[in-house]
Amino acid sequence: MEDSPVLIPSTLAFLPSLTYPRDMPELPDVTLYVEALASRIVDQPIERICLVSPFFVRTAVPPIRSAEGKRVHRVSRLGKRIVLELDGELFLVLHLMITGRLHWKPAGAKVPGKVGLAAFDFPNGTLLITEASTKKRAALHLVQGASALAELDRGGIDVLAATPEAFAAVLRSENHTLKRALTDPTLFDGIGNAYSDEILHRARLSPLKLTRRLSDEEIARLSSAAVHTLREWIERLRAESRGRFPEKVTAFHPEMAVHGRYGQPCPDCGTPVQRIVYAENEANYCPTCQTGGRLLADRALSRLLRADWPKTLDELEQRRAAARGSTDGR
Ligand SMILES: [Zn+2]
């Protein structure tokens, strides 16, 4: 009973306040960007930086102009950020947030109006950065030295590089729902809304199961599912791009098992995919594969939810605990 998932009935999932789920590029997408950039700009100098949005650059020292004329040594990933390492231990660190995207154009291409944030001119092409949203949230930092770069690291472990033991230790370090733990950048690096849904489906675990209630076997299953899901998607995206610059980066793919597939059949069992909606986000899951067929296990929680919608998964967790407490006290 303790582990029974507390799921919001799908009728509640259609409240008018809901917005379209908004997902940002995650580890597989960022990896593809890093590879596409590395093959084009490593050893090339940044000839010119053209900035359109005044809010895009978040650092003043060193000045952004000091990156001009510098050569790119390496392109890498830091969580969901892309890092260009330049001459003189300068690091350009780019976070695309939700709708920020990269484009590779012929040298000298102009920054498109409205969505354009910046252009980086290289001798062999121009890197355009766009953001298709009125709220400009994408961010560029220019920092000097490895320690300044380390300050931008949220601290989550790289699932693809971590041992199963390290994965288990991080998972058990706090008690949260699995959905929240997997998407917490201070615990795991580069996993967001889309791939957490896919990982949990593959591991056959409920998004609302609490991390400290997991058995060793469940953690091993989750760790393996995380590695396999991320690797498989990197391979799939590589095969799709076939060396071209990744122009159609999205968190929604028809080949995904559950993410963004509410109401569609689970590819493994055919059950319609369900969802839990919170704030501007949602978790998709298959009740048959992941929650023992249960949609809603707790009437007290559902009453609470009707009265006041939780804004975060944290809040949902607290309510779940409170609802259980009041039921137990009866
Ligand atoms: Zn299923």
Side-chain angles (χ1 to χ4, degrees), residues 201 266 268-271 286 288-289:
H201 179 262
C266 164
D268 295 343
C269 73
T271 304
C286 169
T288 302
C289 293

Side-chain angles (χ1 to χ4, degrees), residues 101-242:
R101 295 293 182 268
L102 302 180
H103 313 273
W104 184 253
K105 299 290 177 194
K110 295 273 170 295
V111 188
K114 221 167 182 184
V115 295
L117 295 178
F120 288 62
D121 288 326
F122 293 91
N124 58 333
T126 291
L127 173 65
L128 291 182
I129 305 162
T130 61
E131 189 171 26
S133 165
T134 46
K135 271 188 204 155
K136 298 297 182 214
R137 298 175 62 197
L140 182 69
H141 291 75
L142 178 64
V143 297
Q144 182 135 40
S147 61
L149 177 65
E151 281 174 31
L152 293 172
D153 189 346
R154 304 289 306 276
I157 60 164
D158 181 350
V159 169
L160 293 180
T163 61
E165 293 74 27
F167 182 92
V170 168
L171 202 63
R172 286 198 166 116
S173 65
E174 292 177 25
N175 195 28
H176 290 301
T177 58
L178 275 177
K179 179 71 180 178
R180 176 161 185 261
L182 285 177
T183 54
D184 183 339
T186 67
L187 301 180
F188 300 103
D189 156 3
I191 301 175
N193 202 34
Y195 290 98
S196 58
D197 279 352
E198 294 301 292
I199 291 167
L200 288 167
H201 179 262
R202 189 177 196 131
R204 299 294 192 249
L205 289 168
S206 161
L208 294 187
K209 183 142 188 164
L210 287 167
T211 50
R212 288 206 178 135
R213 292 230 168 81
L214 293 173
S215 67
D216 290 346
E217 188 275 324
E218 286 172 323
I219 291 185
R221 219 160 71 208
L222 184 64
S223 161
S224 158
V227 169
H228 284 102
T229 301
L230 295 172
R231 280 212 191 118
E232 205 175 276
W233 274 99
I234 290 171
E235 284 309 317
R236 191 192 301 259
L237 296 176
R238 269 184 198 143
E240 279 172 11
S241 80
R242 280 171 289 177

